[in-house]
Amino acid sequence: MDISNKTVHYSGINALRLEWPAELSVKYGVLITFNEGEEKSNEVKYEVQITRLKPSAEGQPLFQIERTSDVFINEILPDLIADRLAYAVGKVFYPLVITVDQNGGFQRIYNHQEILQRWQSVKKKVLDNFEGSLVEGYIERMEKQLVNPDSINLAFLNNDWFIHTFFKPLYKEYGQNRNSESIYKFPIARGFNVEGYLTQEKLGAQSNSFGAIELIHNGTIKPLEDELYITNTATGNYEGYYLLHPKFKRIISVVSDFSYGAQEKAKVKVKIALIPENDQEFDHDFELDTNVKGLPVTEMVVLDGPSKKGFWDRLLNN
């Protein structure tokens, strides 16, 4: 349904509530760009399928993450031995099932036993395709990590940009002024001298030009309040731009920029975008119905005609 010429104003409790039925899968493209200094840049690209699973026996919300494509580094498959080895070994984690809190924030890895069961077949393939002391040492370290679920959780918390960006606690109350404040710690800021990015979260009061809900994050590094780090104050900024489905509140796209470092800053840009099924437009199901439960729509205002932008321009606001 084309609603690119309409704007929806929200009222009521100013909250986001995720409406994602169990067993429904959505595909996304992921693009992560790493910059260290002005000249060195690397780009990682892949596709994932996210499935909302039925709650666990304990009632925990569960999501499955499955990579549906190869992982490309600078538009090619990993070519360095170390990169190829890490990629091959890392396949043991997928499909990955995680638990999230009631606000949608990542909590922990749920299918640890399944990962352990997959390891023997993954290990055999690695040993069939790689050889040498580097491989043996890598496998030994991986096996020590796999048996400890806390080590796996920590590895994803420290390194996985997709999980950090996609599974944020977005689904919550935003108050009368549609503002909230949180501290987020992303992989780029690993030092013990920072608490994270003190982030202002702003929920849009109306839909954007093609009907999506906007959520904007702006954060700055918050140093750890500890006398040991008074002379080692890091700096950095975070900007996140989320587009959410107007009816189901699922993520349509995310564009986030991160910087960290006192002098020569490291920078990371993360882009995540929904991949529509069957050549459909990403907004094909933006059907607005005031009778739908959980949709706080009060009025629709017609603007001066539909947007003429292309698919990616409209989606990523470029």
Side-chain angles (χ1 to χ4, degrees), residues 7-16 170 174-180 200-208 211-217 240-244 246 249 296:
T7 297
V8 180
H9 294 266
Y10 299 91
S11 66
I13 60 176
N14 294 326
L16 291 176
L170 308 179
Y174 284 87
Q176 183 176 0
N177 297 319
R178 301 183 179 89
N179 284 310
S180 184
Q200 303 297 320
E201 304 157 298
K202 176 69 175 178
L203 178 64
Q206 62 184 41
S207 64
N208 69 0
I213 298 170
E214 293 183 321
L215 179 63
I216 299 173
H217 287 181
Y241 179 66
Y242 287 78
L243 291 181
L244 307 175
K249 312 305 187 293

Side-chain angles (χ1 to χ4, degrees), residues 223-290:
L224 189 67
E225 295 182 3
D226 191 319
E227 293 180 359
L228 294 176
Y229 295 109
I230 289 178
T231 60
N232 188 23
T233 303
T235 61
N237 297 290
Y238 156 54
E239 296 179 359
Y241 179 66
Y242 287 78
L243 291 181
L244 307 175
H245 195 290
K247 181 176 178 181
F248 304 112
K249 312 305 187 293
R250 293 192 294 270
I251 289 174
I252 301 169
S253 73
V254 187
V255 179
S256 294
D257 288 276
F258 309 85
S259 67
Y260 179 73
Q263 308 213 347
E264 184 175 331
K265 290 189 176 182
K267 296 180 181 179
V268 176
K269 177 184 283 289
V270 178
K271 290 187 176 183
I272 301 170
L274 177 146
I275 301 174
E277 298 284 348
N278 304 319
D279 298 323
Q280 295 173 318
E281 286 290 323
F282 69 90
D283 56 355
H284 73 95
D285 60 350
F286 278 23
E287 182 179 351
L288 299 175
D289 183 352
T290 56

Side-chain angles (χ1 to χ4, degrees), residues 156-203:
F156 278 90
L157 280 171
N158 285 340
N159 299 294
D160 195 291
W161 277 100
F162 176 79
I163 284 180
H164 268 282
T165 307
F166 193 90
F167 291 100
K168 304 304 295 179
L170 308 179
Y171 304 100
K172 57 187 177 183
E173 304 282 345
Y174 284 87
Q176 183 176 0
N177 297 319
R178 301 183 179 89
N179 284 310
S180 184
E181 185 177 84
S182 301
I183 294 179
Y184 296 134
K185 194 165 186 178
F186 295 96
I188 195 173
R190 296 183 183 177
F192 293 104
N193 59 331
V194 299
E195 291 189 36
Y197 293 85
L198 181 61
T199 302
Q200 303 297 320
E201 304 157 298
K202 176 69 175 178
L203 178 64

